[in-house]
Amino acid sequence: MSRKRRFFWVTITRQYLIAFCLLVLLLYVLTLPESYHLAVLSTAVVSTPVKYDVIIDPGHGGIDSGGIGAGDIYEKDIVLDIALKMRDFLEERGLKVGLTRSDDSDVTHLANIRGTRHQRDLNGRFLAMHEGSIGISIHANVTKDPKEKGAIVFYMRDSYIDQIYAKTVFEELEKVQVLNHPEPIPRGNLLLLKAKPPVLLVEVGFLSNQEDLNKLVNPGFRQVLAEAIGQGVLNFHNFYRLEQSE
Ligand SMILES: [Zn+2]
């Protein structure tokens, strides 16, 4: 009798174990980072027609304020203004410019996946990048160390053309803003950089640093910054266009 019961107990345990494993597997798949969806995305992306010379992506927006600096300075507002100024600068020089957002909203409506608001927002930006021959995402940093300051340029790791793009923008950026790092930084884990066209992510400075914050709240400095990054984008665009036509 006791033997039978034990057998029964073992059977139940196995069934629970299988069910538990399946549940864990399901939870794991659901929590996989956005990059997991890349394989699914790339097929959808191939058919996306290129409509712009450059796509500018002002980070965050809507309920996502991004980093917050002293005095309630939101990253989303700072980077939107820089992006709009960049658009004007580049359009004046004959480029067709697309924006992922041109007001205080997120870009979840551009997504083609289901998921959290953050996942759909990132997916929307990723997809939008494929409407341009090149792209650039503008952000501002926040960190615990108030002494940390300066701009950073991120590019896709192991991509030679993206590295050239990064260096081209970096060269212009260092004329007007302190740099956090002596050269552009390669990254392999940023979804936006994995887009098919060359894409950079530029952090324009630290909102958590008083010096950077003072600069970034100044519209005049944002104009200078927008023109410098814009000039870098323009220089690379001209180079890349020739490179592709060869
Ligand atoms: Zn950001």
Side-chain angles (χ1 to χ4, degrees), residues 187-202:
R187 287 284 291 269
N189 59 346
L190 294 174
L191 176 70
L192 220 52
L193 304 185
K194 293 180 184 178
K196 231 163 110 187
V199 172
L200 298 182
L201 194 152
V202 175

Side-chain angles (χ1 to χ4, degrees), residues 34 69 105 230:
E34 294 84 292
S105 55

Side-chain angles (χ1 to χ4, degrees), residues 60 75 139-140 203:
H60 314 280
E75 177 185 353
H139 286 256
E203 298 275 4

Side-chain angles (χ1 to χ4, degrees), residues 127-148:
L127 291 177
M129 283 302 165
H130 294 80
E131 292 187 3
S133 36
I134 63 174
I136 189 158
S137 186
I138 307 294
H139 286 256
N141 248 321
V142 165
T143 188
K144 277 178 189 165
D145 181 2
K147 290 198 289 290
E148 190 97 4

Side-chain angles (χ1 to χ4, degrees), residues 158-217:
D158 299 329
S159 168
Y160 180 62
I161 195 74
D162 287 29
Q163 189 183 19
I164 293 175
Y165 184 14
K167 282 183 174 167
T168 309
V169 169
F170 193 87
E171 237 169 62
E172 297 302 318
L173 194 52
E174 72 177 341
K175 293 176 185 170
V176 301
Q177 167 66 319
V178 176
L179 293 160
N180 179 267
H181 205 262
E183 52 194 77
I185 301 178
R187 287 284 291 269
N189 59 346
L190 294 174
L191 176 70
L192 220 52
L193 304 185
K194 293 180 184 178
K196 231 163 110 187
V199 172
L200 298 182
L201 194 152
V202 175
E203 298 275 4
V204 292
F206 284 78
L207 299 176
S208 45
N209 175 265
Q210 198 55 52
E211 233 173 286
D212 270 359
L213 184 65
N214 290 347
K215 289 184 197 170
L216 290 168
V217 294

Side-chain angles (χ1 to χ4, degrees), residues 13-241:
T13 306
R14 270 188 195 156
Q15 284 169 344
Y16 274 126
L17 257 176
I18 291 165
F20 181 70
C21 288
L22 284 174
L23 186 69
V24 167
L25 188 71
L26 179 73
L27 285 173
Y28 172 69
V29 168
L30 285 176
T31 57
L32 274 177
E34 294 84 292
S35 56
Y36 172 76
H37 301 288
L38 206 60
V40 185
L41 284 177
S42 46
T43 47
V45 152
V46 172
S47 59
T48 307
V50 174
K51 293 187 233 162
Y52 302 98
D53 294 314
V54 57
I55 298 284
I56 304 173
D57 171 46
H60 314 280
I63 62 160
D64 174 12
S65 62
I68 301 175
D72 273 350
I73 303 302
Y74 293 161
E75 177 185 353
K76 65 173 182 177
D77 299 328
I78 297 288
V79 297
L80 175 61
D81 187 61
I82 293 169
L84 293 175
K85 287 175 160 60
M86 276 177 70
R87 177 195 60 187
D88 295 346
F89 175 86
L90 290 168
E91 279 183 350
E92 280 165 21
R93 279 149 190 84
L95 260 63
K96 280 187 80 182
V97 180
L99 286 159
T100 53
R101 68 179 179 98
S102 54
D103 56 19
D104 184 17
S105 55
D106 67 18
V107 302
T108 48
H109 58 281
L110 299 178
N112 70 355
I113 58 159
R114 277 187 279 184
T116 64
R117 191 208 65 83
H118 176 70
Q119 284 169 335
R120 282 180 286 120
D121 185 63
L122 197 55
N123 170 254
R125 290 172 207 268
F126 176 81
L127 291 177
M129 283 302 165
H130 294 80
E131 292 187 3
S133 36
I134 63 174
I136 189 158
S137 186
I138 307 294
H139 286 256
N141 248 321
V142 165
T143 188
K144 277 178 189 165
D145 181 2
K147 290 198 289 290
E148 190 97 4
K149 65 177 177 180
I152 306 174
V153 178
F154 291 110
Y155 68 97
M156 185 60 199
R157 196 182 61 199
D158 299 329
S159 168
Y160 180 62
I161 195 74
D162 287 29
Q163 189 183 19
I164 293 175
Y165 184 14
K167 282 183 174 167
T168 309
V169 169
F170 193 87
E171 237 169 62
E172 297 302 318
L173 194 52
E174 72 177 341
K175 293 176 185 170
V176 301
Q177 167 66 319
V178 176
L179 293 160
N180 179 267
H181 205 262
E183 52 194 77
I185 301 178
R187 287 284 291 269
N189 59 346
L190 294 174
L191 176 70
L192 220 52
L193 304 185
K194 293 180 184 178
K196 231 163 110 187
V199 172
L200 298 182
L201 194 152
V202 175
E203 298 275 4
V204 292
F206 284 78
L207 299 176
S208 45
N209 175 265
Q210 198 55 52
E211 233 173 286
D212 270 359
L213 184 65
N214 290 347
K215 289 184 197 170
L216 290 168
V217 294
N218 178 350
F221 180 74
R222 292 200 297 269
Q223 182 67 38
V224 167
L225 207 50
E227 289 181 15
I229 302 170
Q231 188 62 51
V233 168
L234 185 65
N235 293 347
F236 177 73
H237 172 264
N238 292 338
F239 161 82
Y240 189 56
R241 198 177 43 186

